[in-house]
């Protein structure tokens, strides 16, 4: 006799073998029982097993329900159908503890260009008759602009011309600017008196600017005295008079023959040459005259403020601030350095950790990188151009190899500043760190030990570590 499991009014035998197939080819479940060749079930009734049969029928019903959802399952008899979800274990490998320098860095947006433009002002009366065009590079000795159709060339230096350079042996740093530039332009200026040398200075009667330097109070005495602004007692602008080979002899008084000057021709003083001073010797005056002739200027041997533009070096003209026909004693041009640089606006809270000379890495738009150094850190904090926000300071970055950016005039870049460095420390990948139950971190060594460690700087996926039993070359487990 064939009976369906769970059929009302039937009771399967205790030892019946029941096979349950839960399939859903058409969205339905099916139960099938094994039968003997005659079509009747093999059974031996046992009252003691009725409870077990009831449980099996319930399990079969659950399987049918799952099969109706299209799920194929197998529930082994006697295990109650219990199961535990499995989770894939992370793959692990071993790495060695290494010793190296570890640095933390931060990237800030910057702009590649020619640094911040600086204004060039005219320093003499007259009319502007020509200005160098924007984009022009002007180097030492070349014309930057013209006043009354006379050239104003560029000289390199840090001290502007602030007085007329006139008078035998005039001494000062401004004189040195002229001497250094004419020498660099291959003019023979002769030898210059060395620092400590005492020279005799003749100041023309019409030159009321006093000389600087250390003046001798008495013949042969090198003790310094403050220059006097009284007539015949020195120069009020602090420049030093120039030298005569002899360091001895009386100081000539105004109106005396002194150094051969006619009576009433000027003032004679004695000055000690200081470090950084130049001396307007006869040889230098002759060189000035030759240079003036070559430049198309009157060959007077005298240079006045505004005759040259003293700048830190060669410049690139950024834009004009004046036009031809304007008065010359005003801002005329804006110039930049000829070398490309990156300017970065840095929050004032971060600028304090940046120092001149610090190494940086510049990320270019094409993905390439270029090494650079901090060339300057601004001292003025500026409010952001758009909306509220922290004040900014300008940091200028110079390239170690300018050819890296020779094809770019301007571009947005990223500048990577190193904020912290640990030299020669033990490091492991961050993925090797284990969070310990008792707090802190540890490492699992290749032989299975767990060693507690202290962490330091964490940067670029690496962690600085120290711990007993951890040394350079130790193999530790890390996840991948």
């Amino acid at each position: 006799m064939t009976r369906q499991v769970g059929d009302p009014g039937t009771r399967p035998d205790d030892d019946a073998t029941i096979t349950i197939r839960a399939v859903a080819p058409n969205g339905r479940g099916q139960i099938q029982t094994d039968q003997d060749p005659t079509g009747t079930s093999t059974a031996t009734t046992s009252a003691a097993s009725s409870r077990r049969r009831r449980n099996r029928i319930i399990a079969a019903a659950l399987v049918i329900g799952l099969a109706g959802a299209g799920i194929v399952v197998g529930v082994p008899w006697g295990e109650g159908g219990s199961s535990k979800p499995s989770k894939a274990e992370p793959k692990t490998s071993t790495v060695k503890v290494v010793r190296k320098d570890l640095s933390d860095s931060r990237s800030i947006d910057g702009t590649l260009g020619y640094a911040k433009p600086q204004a060039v002002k005219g320093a003499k009366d007259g009319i502007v008759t020509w200005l160098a065009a924007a984009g022009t590079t002007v180097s030492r000795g070349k014309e930057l602009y013209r006043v009354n159709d006379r050239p104003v060339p560029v000289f390199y230096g840090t001290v502007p011309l602030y007085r007329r350079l006139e008078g035998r042996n005039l001494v000062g740093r401004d004189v040195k600017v002229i001497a250094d530039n004419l020498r660099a332009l291959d003019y023979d200026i002769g030898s210059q008196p060395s620092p400590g040398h005492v020279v005799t200075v003749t100041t023309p009667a019409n030159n009321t600017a006093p000389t600087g330097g250390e003046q001798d109070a008495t013949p042969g005495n090198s003790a310094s005295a403050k220059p006097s602004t009284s007539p015949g007692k020195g120069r009020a602008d602090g420049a030093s008079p120039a030298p005569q080979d002899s360091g001895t002899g009386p100081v000539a008084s105004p109106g005396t023959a002194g150094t051969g000057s006619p009576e009433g021709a000027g003032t004679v003083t004695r000055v000690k040459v200081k470090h950084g001073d130049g001396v307007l010797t006869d040889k230098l005056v002759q060189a000035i005259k030759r240079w003036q002739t070559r430049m198309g200027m009157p060959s007077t041997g005298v240079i006045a403020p505004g005759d040259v533009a003293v700048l830190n070096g060669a410049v690139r003209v950024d834009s004009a601030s004046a036009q031809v026909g304007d008065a010359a004693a005003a801002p005329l041009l804006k110039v930049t350095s000829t070398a490309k640089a990156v300017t970065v606006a840095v929050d004032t809270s971060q600028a304090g950790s940046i120092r001149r000379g610090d190494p940086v890495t510049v990320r270019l738009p094409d993905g390439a990188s270029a090494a650079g150094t901090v060339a300057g850190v601004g001292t003025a904090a500026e409010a952001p151009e758009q909306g509220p926000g922290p004040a900014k300071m300008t940091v200028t970055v110079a390239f170690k190899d300018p050819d890296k950016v020779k094809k770019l005039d301007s571009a947005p870049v990223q500048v990577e500043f190193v904020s912290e460095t640990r030299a020669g420390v033990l490091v492991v990948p961050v993925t090797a760190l284990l969070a310990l139950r008792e707090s802190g971190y540890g490492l699992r060594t290749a032989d299975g030990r767990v060693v507690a460690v202290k962490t330091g700087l964490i940067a670029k996926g690496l962690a600085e570590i120290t711990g007993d039993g951890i040394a350079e070359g130790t193999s530790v487990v890390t996840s991948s």
Side-chain angles (χ1 to χ4, degrees):
M1 178 180 65
T2 302
R3 291 179 296 175
Q4 294 295 325
V5 175
D7 200 27
T10 64
R11 299 179 66 182
D13 293 332
D14 181 40
D15 294 326
T17 301
I18 300 175
T19 301
I20 299 174
R21 289 194 182 91
V23 294
N26 296 315
R28 295 179 297 176
Q30 178 181 359
I31 297 178
Q32 177 179 333
T33 61
D34 288 345
Q35 300 171 342
D36 63 14
T38 65
T40 62
S41 300
T42 59
T44 303
T45 304
S46 172
S49 63
S50 62
R51 187 182 300 108
R52 201 164 46 242
R53 288 197 302 270
R54 189 180 303 112
N55 291 339
R56 292 172 183 170
I57 293 171
I58 294 171
L62 291 172
V63 171
I64 292 172
L66 292 172
I71 304 173
V72 179
V73 299
V75 182
W77 297 112
E79 295 186 3
S82 63
S83 63
K84 293 182 179 180
S86 62
K87 185 177 181 180
E89 294 292 331
K91 296 181 180 180
T92 60
S93 59
T94 59
V95 295
K96 289 186 177 181
V97 178
V98 298
R99 188 179 296 278
K100 63 179 296 183
D101 295 346
L102 184 62
S103 297
D104 189 15
S105 60
R106 63 182 184 274
S107 292
I108 305 177
D109 292 338
T111 303
L112 170 66
Y114 285 94
K116 188 175 182 178
Q118 302 294 324
V120 175
K121 298 179 181 180
K124 65 189 303 182
D125 292 333
I127 300 299
V128 176
T129 53
W130 179 83
L131 294 164
T136 304
T137 297
V138 184
S139 57
R140 190 199 316 262
K142 304 298 183 181
E143 296 179 34
L144 184 61
Y145 56 91
R146 282 178 169 257
V147 176
N148 295 340
D149 215 25
R150 291 182 180 175
V152 178
V154 169
F155 273 15
Y156 298 169
T158 58
V159 180
L161 298 189
Y162 57 91
R163 57 178 176 169
R164 285 174 61 89
L165 301 186
E166 181 181 11
R168 185 172 182 267
N169 289 345
L170 185 69
V171 177
R173 293 189 300 150
D174 49 351
V175 178
K176 191 174 190 307
V177 169
I178 301 302
D180 289 347
N181 279 272
L182 290 182
R183 184 187 289 113
L185 292 170
D186 292 329
Y187 287 90
D188 180 12
I189 68 168
S191 60
Q192 285 279 292
S194 58
H197 197 97
V198 177
V199 297
T200 302
V201 180
T202 303
T203 305
N206 63 346
N207 191 342
T208 59
T211 58
E214 297 183 3
Q215 299 183 2
D216 288 343
T218 57
N221 184 1
S222 61
S224 62
K226 292 183 179 179
S228 170
T229 56
S230 303
K233 297 297 183 181
R235 301 174 55 99
D237 59 8
S240 326
Q244 183 172 323
D245 287 345
S246 171
T248 61
V251 178
S253 301
T256 64
T259 56
S261 301
E263 186 171 345
T267 304
V268 177
T269 53
R270 293 170 58 80
V271 176
K272 180 183 288 186
V273 179
K274 298 182 297 184
H275 182 74
D277 281 343
V279 181
L280 194 61
T281 61
D282 290 338
K283 275 277 194 180
L284 180 55
V285 172
Q286 294 303 314
I288 291 172
K289 290 181 178 180
R290 293 193 298 273
W291 168 74
Q292 288 172 327
T293 299
R294 184 176 178 180
M295 292 296 296
M297 304 175 183
S299 180
T300 61
V302 176
I303 296 182
D307 285 347
V308 296
V310 181
L311 304 174
N312 289 333
V315 294
R316 173 184 174 274
V317 178
D318 180 75
S319 60
S321 304
Q323 301 180 35
V324 172
D326 287 349
L332 303 179
L333 296 164
K334 288 185 177 180
V335 299
T336 69
S337 64
T338 57
K340 292 170 188 172
V342 173
T343 54
V344 185
V346 180
D347 290 355
T348 52
S349 59
Q350 297 177 322
S353 63
I354 300 174
R355 298 285 184 271
R356 182 183 178 92
D358 285 352
V360 300
T361 300
V362 181
R363 307 293 179 187
L364 302 175
D366 61 358
S369 61
T373 57
V374 175
V377 180
T379 57
E382 299 178 357
E385 293 182 0
Q386 296 181 350
K392 306 281 187 178
M393 297 178 72
T394 300
V395 174
T396 304
V397 172
F399 291 96
K400 290 185 176 180
D401 182 6
D403 286 343
K404 289 273 189 178
V405 291
K406 65 181 180 181
K407 295 182 179 180
L408 292 171
D409 280 342
S410 63
V413 296
Q414 286 272 325
V415 182
E416 188 176 281
F417 294 89
V418 175
S419 57
E420 190 174 4
T421 299
R422 296 280 193 271
V425 295
L426 297 176
V427 300
V428 295
V430 172
T431 51
L433 295 175
L434 300 173
L436 301 181
R437 186 173 299 174
E438 59 271 22
S439 78
Y441 294 94
L443 296 173
R444 186 183 299 278
T445 62
D447 58 9
R449 294 180 299 114
V450 174
V451 180
V453 295
K454 291 182 178 180
T455 59
L457 178 64
I458 297 177
K460 301 177 181 177
L462 299 175
E464 174 192 358
I465 53 99
T466 55
D468 294 337
I470 298 297
E472 184 178 4
T474 301
S475 291
V476 297
V477 177
T478 182
S479 61
S480 57

